[in-house]
Amino acid sequence: MSGVDAVVIGSGPNGLAAAIELARAGRSVLVREAADEIGGGLRSGEVTFPGFVHDLCSAIHPMAAASPFFRSVPLEEHGLEWIEPPLPLAHPLDGGRAVVLRRSIDETASALGEDAEAYTRVFRPLVKDWPQLESSVLGPLVRIPRHPVAMTRFGLDALWPASRFARRRFEGEAARALFAGLAAHSILSLDKLASASFGLVLGVTGHAVGWPLPRGGSQAIANALASYLRSLGGEIATESAVESLDELAGVETVLCDITPRQFMKLAGDRLEGGYRRALERFRYGPGGFKLDWALSGPIPWADPDSARAGTVHLGGTLDEIVASERTPERGETSERPFVLLAQPTSFDPSRAPKGQHIAWAYCHVPNGSTSDRTEAIERQIERFAPGFGELVLARNVMGPADLEGRNANLVGGDIAGGSNELSQLIARPALRPVPYSTPLDGVYLCSASTPPGGGVHGMCGYLAARAALG
């Protein structure tokens, strides 16, 4: 460790963001990654057949497009190319039709019938306010917002349970279903307080910045971040696990892109008192059950707009999605799960052999579940794309244990770094004036278990590094 000012543990998007910010401030930085390749949730690989490049965790990146950190780094100069599908999102309904989120608010609203005006009233002010909102939404909630009026307007709607918000604001099935699918990214029961905030933020990003994907797969984001870090003089060591913070004695600053469970293990008996008890109470959320397919052709959607969307939400009506998203917290699984699906090769044909395709999807299950949801997920796809099963050449299945095996931060398959319940969004991972700091001098947390939480935005790492720099 001699000659290194700072060590970052973990090379996920937040670890790399933290390292970049430290390096930009003139610090000498070493990133230590336990795995044999960098990226954390940004890894891609050929897990079905050679030539089919699948994303092993994240696939579509609206929060990267909305992130102040990502706007500050010249990743295009380091090989990253964003692709914006013609439509950010489609949400098929029974009967061969789909409701669509378009970049244009007016075009989205015009297809919502009786809810056109209501949709515009919800989203137009938020899109207009987004430049003022982003620093508050993508940061700690326990601080005075820079733009209190805009944040108050957002908060009055954001604190609602998504199920009640959708029923209160919209009359028709289409608008309610669209909002429910957006809010289900919270990985919460849609009856929970503040679940509406996720629907609002993701709807705003769809209109304000789009829902892009990186050419070549999510690994391209990690590779570009790493390339930029190295251009600043930073170093990365893979297959270099840190077993104890004692190994880093003498290093001035340590940033940990890990969850509270791993941090307590690294800190050992150096960590005690109220902070340790807070970390022991930290709650992990539902897990993911994920499928990747190699396909002989494009998904045969009943509604043609679904073929033009990078992301497709499969869950039917508001009532169906609400019922599905209640089950994980009860320790149950749904026979009609809400499914999030991405179809990258419709817009990036380089990721599969000519004429063939890949698809990516997952649903929410109880944390640590061992239930196989393959048939339930594929039934939901067939419901809106009859004939899908005939295209499947191969599938890769990852339940919660498989996800955690690939990335130790995904505890029990939790892809968000911890439950998104309101109390834990406020105190993440503990209630402190600087949530990234720990009682250990010079040691900080910078993972998705800190504000603003999960998503490929790099803001947890960026803000933790700013805190460490003082």
Side-chain angles (χ1 to χ4, degrees), residues 278-323:
L279 297 193
E280 290 171 342
R281 293 192 299 268
F282 187 81
R283 299 181 304 281
Y284 293 91
F289 185 92
K290 182 176 180 298
L291 290 168
D292 294 287
W293 295 274
L295 303 173
S296 61
I299 298 175
W301 299 109
D303 182 274
D305 274 341
S306 296
R308 302 175 61 233
T311 301
V312 184
H313 287 167
L314 305 172
T317 65
L318 166 67
D319 288 344
E320 287 182 78
I321 297 169
V322 169

Side-chain angles (χ1 to χ4, degrees), residues 47-133:
V47 292
T48 54
F49 291 141
F52 292 82
V53 180
H54 304 272
D55 292 320
L56 306 183
C57 189
S58 65
I60 306 292
H61 300 95
M63 300 316 296
S67 168
F69 166 73
F70 270 90
R71 287 203 304 272
S72 77
V73 288
L75 298 188
E76 289 77 7
E77 298 175 14
H78 293 265
L80 181 63
E81 180 183 350
W82 289 110
I83 297 171
E84 186 171 339
L87 300 174
L89 169 68
H91 186 122
L93 298 169
D94 290 320
R97 62 194 179 102
V99 56
V100 174
L101 190 151
R102 303 175 188 272
R103 286 295 303 272
S104 165
I105 295 174
D106 290 337
E107 290 179 10
T108 302
S110 67
L112 296 177
E114 69 267 48
D115 287 313
E117 186 177 343
Y119 187 91
T120 301
R121 283 199 305 270
V122 169
F123 283 103
R124 192 180 301 284
L126 294 177
V127 171
K128 180 181 178 181
D129 285 346
W130 180 249
Q132 288 77 47
L133 286 171

Side-chain angles (χ1 to χ4, degrees), residues 111-458:
L112 296 177
E114 69 267 48
D115 287 313
E117 186 177 343
Y119 187 91
T120 301
R121 283 199 305 270
V122 169
F123 283 103
R124 192 180 301 284
L126 294 177
V127 171
K128 180 181 178 181
D129 285 346
W130 180 249
Q132 288 77 47
L133 286 171
E134 63 179 13
S135 63
S136 296
V137 172
L138 295 177
L141 295 181
V142 186
R143 62 177 178 176
I144 298 173
R146 294 181 183 177
H147 302 278
V149 175
M151 192 60 183
T152 299
R153 281 198 296 261
F154 170 74
L156 290 174
D157 283 337
L159 290 174
W160 280 77
S163 56
R164 290 179 62 192
F165 180 89
R167 293 187 178 104
R168 181 172 66 103
R169 286 302 191 99
F170 306 122
E171 297 294 330
E173 178 183 84
R176 287 179 172 183
L178 177 63
F179 189 80
L182 292 168
H185 284 256
S186 66
I187 323 180
L188 291 171
S189 165
L190 300 192
D191 299 321
K192 294 277 189 178
L193 288 172
S195 54
S197 66
F198 290 81
L200 294 170
V201 169
L202 285 170
V204 168
T205 60
H207 294 304
V209 298
W211 286 22
L213 60 132
R215 187 175 299 280
S218 294
Q219 186 76 50
I221 305 174
N223 292 345
L225 288 167
S227 175
Y228 180 50
L229 173 61
R230 292 184 176 111
S231 76
L232 298 170
E235 300 178 70
I236 301 173
T238 56
E239 298 183 278
S240 182
V242 176
E243 304 294 342
S244 168
L245 292 179
D246 292 340
E247 297 175 32
L248 308 180
V251 177
E252 180 181 349
T253 305
V254 177
L255 283 94
C256 304
D257 185 8
I258 55 178
T259 79
R261 183 175 298 182
Q262 289 88 39
F263 182 67
M264 286 189 289
K265 181 179 178 182
L266 290 188
D269 58 12
R270 294 174 58 186
L271 199 64
E272 55 187 16
Y275 185 76
R276 185 179 187 94
R277 289 192 293 274
L279 297 193
E280 290 171 342
R281 293 192 299 268
F282 187 81
R283 299 181 304 281
Y284 293 91
F289 185 92
K290 182 176 180 298
L291 290 168
D292 294 287
W293 295 274
L295 303 173
S296 61
I299 298 175
W301 299 109
D303 182 274
D305 274 341
S306 296
R308 302 175 61 233
T311 301
V312 184
H313 287 167
L314 305 172
T317 65
L318 166 67
D319 288 344
E320 287 182 78
I321 297 169
V322 169
S324 171
E325 295 305 284
R326 283 175 181 153
T327 57
E329 294 180 5
R330 297 174 176 174
E332 302 168 353
T333 57
S334 172
E335 287 308 304
R336 275 193 161 188
F338 173 68
V339 176
L340 301 97
L341 182 144
Q343 44 190 1
T345 43
S346 295
F347 319 100
D348 180 11
S350 70
R351 294 179 57 183
K354 186 175 181 180
Q356 298 179 315
H357 286 264
I358 62 170
W360 168 109
Y362 78 99
C363 70
H364 304 138
V365 297
N367 191 281
S369 172
T370 58
S371 175
D372 188 335
R373 309 309 299 150
T374 302
E375 289 187 12
I377 289 174
E378 294 188 352
R379 279 199 304 270
Q380 286 288 66
I381 302 174
E382 285 276 353
R383 175 183 172 187
F384 303 107
F388 169 79
E390 298 171 12
L391 303 176
V392 175
L393 302 173
R395 65 176 60 81
N396 182 65
V397 179
M398 288 194 287
D402 304 302
L403 292 170
E404 185 174 357
R406 286 188 176 273
N407 183 345
N409 277 3
L410 309 185
V411 176
D414 176 1
I415 63 171
S419 171
N420 287 319
E421 291 187 17
L422 178 59
S423 60
Q424 196 156 277
L425 289 178
I426 294 170
R428 192 174 184 91
L431 189 60
R432 295 172 67 81
V434 180
Y436 313 98
S437 67
T438 76
L440 306 181
D441 189 37
V443 179
Y444 298 80
L445 283 175
C446 68
S447 70
S449 301
T450 65
V456 178
H457 42 62

